[in-house]
Amino acid sequence: MPDPSPNWRHALIDALPKAELHLHIEGSLEPEMLFALARRNGVAIPFASVEAVRAAYSFTNLQDFLDIYYQGMGVLLTRQDFFDLTLAYLTRAKADNVRHVEIFFDPQGHTERGVAFGTAADGILDALAEGEARLGITSGLILCFLRHLDEESALATLNEAGPWLGRIAGVGLDSSELGHPPAKFARVFAAARGLGLKLVAHAGEEGPPPYVTEALDVLGVDRIDHGNRALEDPALVARIVSEAITLTVCPLSNLKLCVIPGLALSPVKRMLDLGIRATINSDDPAYFGGYVGANYRAVADALELSADEIVTLARNSFAGSFLSEEARARHIAEIEAIAAAFA
Ligand code: HPA
Ligand code: ZN
């Protein structure tokens, strides 16, 4: 039986190795770093203090957040900026016992401001290499296309990524979901598949269940980011279960973007009950109030998750990753040993 003390869930969460599969690196830009980089780069920001920035982080929907997220990334100009941002994230992840990360970046959010693709990619990749050497965190980098832009722009971005593709694990699809269905990006995802890249897409965060189906059928994604609204369609749920499709759920993000009215209504427990391979992730932790450990703790407390359910979430994070079968098995064996010791 678990330790009956009130924090047994937190102790278990801390002890479990975890992978994070849904993290926008630009969304890990903490207000303190926003200020430091604005000063370092001579970029004007419309905030007088770190407190004023935090106070502005109040959102009623995804677009509300995106407007401030794109404004925030305007302070990222140099390779060093992207390096510092990414290493700061990895340091936070290490504190949460994260062993593997698959992180997104939004190159179009940088190239449209005149920051070269390679400035962002090289800074992030340098830090990911350092994170593996110094912190023991393995990683994959996922290039996200901005879905509010057209497919031509996405195709040009994939082309620009050519020299870096050997160090890019896959492509994803993010930004404003409603009105921008996955099928808009059918050709660029087909091209990415042809290049041997993994494929993921945000779907069902605000968009309806058919967007999830389209991401699976038209884009052929390996994983769905968010996927909350898939639960509205029983046939889609049955398919997600039978095909063992991973959903990268982001509880604090869902709360802050009003996708759910309270954490007690997070879909995580329902997904586990249905047999869906759900995972816990932080999405944009600097904006939503917590890194991956905080997301596990919040959802475990609010949903009163059992020890088995918490262990399943950690196991799912590796099972749903793009690690080799051998690496996945090694991490999962460690999880099983911790679960056995905890029981
Ligand atoms: N949804 C869509 N696009 C995003 C998000 C998100 O939660 N975070 C950063 N870009
Ligand atoms: Zn996201």
Side-chain angles (χ1 to χ4, degrees):
M1 281 301 289
D3 173 351
S5 76
N7 282 320
W8 67 265
R9 291 186 177 91
H10 297 197
L12 175 60
I13 289 164
D14 286 347
L16 288 167
K18 298 169 219 46
E20 177 151 52
L21 307 180
H22 185 153
L23 178 284
H24 302 262
I25 196 63
E26 298 90 345
S28 71
L29 179 61
E30 290 286 343
E32 289 78 6
M33 188 177 281
L34 176 81
F35 263 82
L37 294 182
R39 200 170 309 120
R40 182 157 103 188
N41 292 328
V43 176
I45 51 170
F47 301 107
S49 66
V50 164
E51 292 68 37
V53 179
R54 285 230 156 77
Y57 291 178
S58 168
F59 316 108
T60 56
N61 57 36
L62 174 59
Q63 193 59 49
D64 244 18
F65 154 71
L66 289 170
D67 293 342
I68 208 156
Y69 165 83
Y70 293 121
Q71 182 183 66
M73 69 172 76
V75 301
L76 297 165
L77 294 186
T78 69
R79 180 170 176 165
Q80 185 71 44
D81 298 340
F82 287 93
F83 178 88
D84 292 348
L85 175 71
T86 306
L87 201 60
Y89 161 67
L90 292 170
T91 303
R92 299 265 201 160
K94 175 79 179 175
D96 279 338
N97 208 359
V98 170
R99 307 291 177 84
H100 177 72
V101 300
E102 293 175 6
I103 68 172
F104 303 129
F105 78 126
D106 286 332
Q108 291 157 295
H110 310 305
T111 54
E112 71 182 3
R113 302 182 287 115
V115 174
F117 182 96
T119 300
D122 285 335
I124 296 167
L125 288 164
D126 287 349
L128 292 177
E130 179 133 342
E132 180 158 6
R134 258 189 28 210
L135 305 172
I137 299 176
T138 56
S139 57
L141 181 60
I142 298 174
L143 182 176
C144 274
F145 303 117
L146 298 182
R147 68 201 305 159
H148 65 272
L149 301 178
D150 62 22
E151 193 182 35
E152 287 310 318
S153 175
L155 284 160
T157 301
L158 183 61
N159 191 46
E160 211 174 351
W164 286 270
L165 287 185
R167 289 177 293 158
I168 288 178
V171 301
L173 188 63
D174 66 1
S175 193
S176 321
E177 186 180 7
L178 288 168
H180 302 286
K184 180 178 163 185
F185 297 92
R187 288 181 305 149
V188 73
F189 271 69
R193 182 182 316 106
L195 292 165
L197 293 163
K198 295 289 188 186
L199 310 176
V200 301
H202 284 54
E205 180 183 21
E206 289 188 341
Y211 281 27
V212 178
T213 303
E214 234 176 61
L216 294 170
D217 288 340
V218 180
L219 304 186
V221 296
D222 298 290
R223 199 155 76 198
I224 294 284
D225 295 314
H226 294 295
N228 298 49
R229 293 195 60 192
L231 295 186
E232 295 168 24
D233 178 347
L236 178 56
V237 166
R239 175 186 182 181
I240 287 169
V241 172
S242 74
E243 296 181 17
I245 292 160
T246 300
L247 304 186
T248 64
V249 182
C250 305
L252 290 174
S253 166
N254 288 169
L255 181 68
K256 291 291 160 69
L257 298 185
C258 305
V259 168
I260 53 173
L263 278 174
L265 286 152
S266 166
V268 167
K269 184 164 165 54
R270 255 181 85 207
M271 287 175 178
L272 293 178
D273 288 346
L274 288 162
I276 290 174
R277 190 194 274 164
T279 64
I280 299 290
N281 308 272
S282 68
D283 208 2
D284 301 281
Y287 293 90
F288 301 147
Y291 287 76
V292 71
N295 274 271
Y296 269 84
R297 290 189 292 274
V299 94
D301 289 346
L303 300 176
E304 300 185 359
L305 295 183
S306 68
D308 276 353
E309 287 167 332
I310 292 167
V311 168
T312 295
L313 289 167
R315 193 190 296 116
N316 287 352
S317 74
F318 291 102
S321 76
F322 297 139
L323 282 166
S324 69
E325 191 158 350
E326 180 276 327
R328 274 184 275 149
R330 183 161 36 77
H331 288 294
I332 290 170
E334 193 181 336
I335 288 173
E336 304 308 352
I338 288 165
F342 191 82

